[in-house]
Amino acid sequence: MIGANTALSSEEREYFERTVETLENEVFVDRLGEDHFRDLDDNEESREDWEEYVKRMGSYDFAGITVPEAHNGAGETYVQTVLAEQAVGYCGTIVHACQTSLTQHVGRTMYEHGNDHVKESYLEPMLDGELIVSQAYTEPSSGTDLAHLDTTAEKEGDAWVVNGQKRFIDFARYGDFYFLPARTSGSDGDREGVSLLVVDGDADGIEILEDQSDWHGFRGTGAAWMEFDDVRVPEANLVGEEGTAWSYITDELNLEHLTVARYCLGASQKALEIAANYTDNRIVNERAISDYQSVNHQVAEMATKLDAAYLLNTRAARMMDEGGLSTGRMESAMAKWYGNDLAHEIADTCIQLLGGIGTTTSYPIERIQRDVRAGRFLGGASGVMKSVVQHDTYEVLDDDEFDGEYVGNEVEGVPWRKADARPPSASPDD
Ligand SMILES: Cc1cc2nc3c(=O)[nH]c(=O)nc-3n(C[C@H](O)[C@H](O)[C@H](O)COP(=O)(O)OP(=O)(O)OC[C@H]3O[C@@H](n4cnc5c(N)ncnc54)[C@H](O)[C@@H]3O)c2cc1C
């Protein structure tokens, strides 16, 4: 926040400050420092880097923040979860925040619906920082529209046999396990009949078809297009009830909307700080460029919108703390589209304020701008979020008693003002 953060309690503000301090002094240091950020962007990361990262985050209780301590989580709140994600986006990179975000929403889903085997063999070691998680949802024919997934899982004896392809999968190369939806019954597009499985990263039949890490931003995760060819998954690796995972997925996405927006906003705040310092010191025509109103008003607008986005996000997280993971879908959708569109707008505006140097790697802004771009469709496209918001907005605003006074029927007795009549000039007989 740029202004006072009255939406947080003093304990929450302290939690955020402590988190930033720990990340800066204990996590993003030595082999995970600035050079490592560059390695990620150059796709020169290593498995050891990611192992070290998840180990450090697990040891400081930043993985699975809402999962009870008995399962190696932190036993804390959704508000703390989004604050931690903001801090990782700010102190580290988007891809670090993404890996940690997976421990939050995948971890929460495993905790709420997983059996003892799933909890003991995957959830607890993941939250301890021993396992890297990969979320394998997107397919060639179903991205935004997850219900049209083609991947199937058929029961054979005591195993599920998985067949299908998944693409754009972060941590495809490093995942110790994949959190994977597959159709176990029903037809294409049905929401019923989708099940969630935990698939071991080293299971037979998993193949990388194409490396996909050399994309616009968000680099260094070993992302790939993958094939699952008769992959046998133990029966016990089913998460929750067979065929009912649609509700688990939509609940899980409700939290992912908040974490993705929040870590992108954290990264954009870093860009804004750099731009504020730069413009206050860059002399053009014998004046700091921050003296120009067209510059300083842009800083003011970014600061105001950033605070608005944080407040929307905190509100939705607090609703989840009060009502659970499925609470506040409209508020979460508002926070997602506004936060992610804004993070990109801020990063882009900051490049504009720095001019040419902003497009070089002298400052991390150009990387931040590329990194936050995918947030506008990843985990829920802005257009889809707006569809959720408009639907609920009409429900909130529509009045059952409405008698038509806003649709041109204000003057009683004038025929063409009636809803079922046309004005004379538009009559087909004219
Ligand atoms: C950097 C990056 C990392 C990713 N990481 C992962 C990962 O780890 N795991 C994973 O499973 N996937 C991952 N993805 C995939 C990502 O989730 C999908 O790209 C996203 O869900 C969109 O799916 P799609 O690309 O198939 O686009 P499509 O579904 O084809 O949609 C294309 C565009 O159409 C518009 N659109 C589609 N449907 C609607 C609608 N109903 N209303 C309004 N607009 C709509 C949106 O603008 C959307 O961006 C990643 C992608 C990127 C780029």
Side-chain angles (χ1 to χ4, degrees):
M1 289 284 285
I2 309 297
N5 202 342
T6 53
L8 297 182
S9 66
S10 57
E11 289 79 20
E12 288 164 341
R13 284 197 289 269
E14 276 163 28
Y15 174 82
F16 181 71
E17 281 159 23
R18 259 198 332 274
T19 301
V20 168
E21 213 176 287
T22 307
L23 292 173
E24 282 180 347
N25 299 325
E26 312 288 341
V27 175
F28 296 115
V29 290
D30 311 325
R31 70 173 300 162
L32 300 185
E34 284 291 330
D35 288 349
H36 160 68
F37 296 1
R38 258 189 297 279
D39 286 349
L40 289 171
D41 200 33
D42 292 339
N43 283 320
E44 285 177 1
E45 80 288 354
S46 66
R47 166 176 284 281
E48 290 72 31
D49 290 339
W50 281 112
E51 285 174 351
E52 181 63 24
Y53 173 67
V54 299
K55 198 161 103 197
R56 290 185 191 181
M57 293 302 276
S59 74
Y60 288 105
D61 271 353
F62 294 135
I65 289 171
T66 64
V67 174
E69 287 172 287
H71 296 287
N72 297 342
E76 301 286 4
T77 63
Y78 290 107
V79 170
Q80 281 162 292
T81 301
V82 295
L83 290 173
E85 289 295 332
Q86 175 188 333
V88 181
Y90 176 82
C91 303
T93 73
I94 291 300
V95 289
H96 292 113
C98 169
Q99 170 60 215
T100 299
S101 169
L102 294 174
T103 71
Q104 316 296 358
H105 43 86
V106 169
R108 184 73 205 181
T109 309
M110 284 174 145
Y111 164 66
E112 289 195 4
H113 304 288
N115 55 31
D116 288 348
H117 165 71
V118 166
K119 286 182 178 130
E120 283 160 21
S121 306
Y122 300 97
L123 173 67
E124 291 168 11
M126 171 178 79
L127 300 190
D128 239 1
E130 289 165 19
L131 298 181
I132 298 170
V133 50
S134 173
Q135 181 177 249
Y137 281 15
T138 306
E139 301 188 1
S141 61
S142 70
T144 307
D145 186 4
L146 270 174
H148 283 99
L149 83 178
D150 287 330
T151 297
T152 56
E154 281 176 30
K155 196 73 172 293
E156 265 185 29
D158 58 0
W160 292 98
V161 179
V162 177
N163 280 289
Q165 292 183 8
K166 301 281 178 179
R167 68 171 180 173
F168 308 139
I169 307 305
D170 288 307
F171 307 103
R173 288 188 182 281
Y174 307 125
D176 291 306
F177 68 88
Y178 303 104
F179 197 62
L180 175 145
R183 181 161 296 289
T184 47
S185 61
S187 325
D188 188 36
D190 286 353
R191 290 173 176 196
E192 282 182 16
V194 177
S195 301
L196 268 171
L197 293 166
V198 176
V199 181
D200 282 315
D202 59 0
D204 287 342
I206 300 178
E207 195 189 338
I208 300 282
L209 296 180
E210 186 184 301
D211 183 77
Q212 297 188 305
S213 54
D214 197 17
W215 46 16
H216 187 62
F218 227 98
R219 296 175 178 179
T221 67
W225 187 326
M226 319 169 68
E227 170 136 52
F228 294 78
D229 183 13
D230 280 340
V231 176
R232 291 183 74 82
V233 178
E235 194 176 21
N237 284 24
L238 179 74
V239 178
E241 298 294 315
E242 179 189 334
T244 62
W246 186 258
S247 67
Y248 314 155
I249 291 171
T250 50
D251 286 356
E252 181 260 322
L253 283 169
N254 206 29
L255 176 57
E256 193 176 352
H257 295 159
L258 299 186
T259 56
V260 173
R262 196 75 178 221
Y263 65 65
C264 288
L265 289 167
S268 77
Q269 182 166 347
K270 174 70 84 185
L272 178 55
E273 277 180 18
I274 294 168
N277 281 298
Y278 186 91
T279 54
D280 221 15
N281 288 283
R282 171 72 174 166
I283 307 296
V284 176
N285 288 331
E286 298 175 359
R287 301 174 72 170
I289 54 176
S290 61
D291 284 350
Y292 297 111
Q293 194 179 50
S294 69
V295 169
N296 61 40
H297 276 196
Q298 289 189 67
V299 171
E301 284 170 17
M302 287 189 279
T304 310
K305 290 180 184 177
L306 186 61
D307 275 12
Y310 281 146
L311 290 170
L312 278 177
N313 195 287
T314 300
R315 174 182 69 173
R318 207 172 290 293
M319 288 177 74
M320 256 177 227
D321 277 322
E322 283 162 13
L325 198 53
S326 60
T327 314
R329 288 193 198 279
M330 176 175 74
E331 290 79 2
S332 165
M334 283 176 168
K336 170 81 173 71
W337 84 257
Y338 188 72
N340 279 116
D341 282 10
L342 179 67
H344 185 252
E345 180 189 316
I346 289 177
D348 191 58
T349 305
C350 290
I351 292 179
Q352 184 70 14
L353 295 184
L354 265 71
I357 197 79
T359 67
T360 73
T361 53
S362 304
Y363 300 96
I365 302 181
E366 68 82 32
R367 173 175 53 73
I368 292 171
Q369 189 227 23
R370 287 184 287 108
D371 279 353
V372 299
R373 181 61 189 82
R376 295 176 63 195
F377 54 83
L378 191 152
S382 293
V384 179
M385 296 300 100
K386 288 176 191 173
S387 294
V388 173
V389 175
Q390 66 80 20
H391 178 268
D392 289 16
T393 301
Y394 275 106
E395 274 190 5
V396 170
L397 299 182
D398 265 353
D399 177 2
D400 291 342
E401 305 298 313
F402 174 66
D403 62 3
E405 70 266 35
Y406 304 141
V407 293
N409 291 340
E410 294 87 346
V411 181
E412 207 153 338
V414 181
W416 58 86
R417 294 287 188 186
K418 293 286 184 200
D420 57 354
R422 289 158 173 253
S425 61
S427 159
D429 301 332
D430 280 354

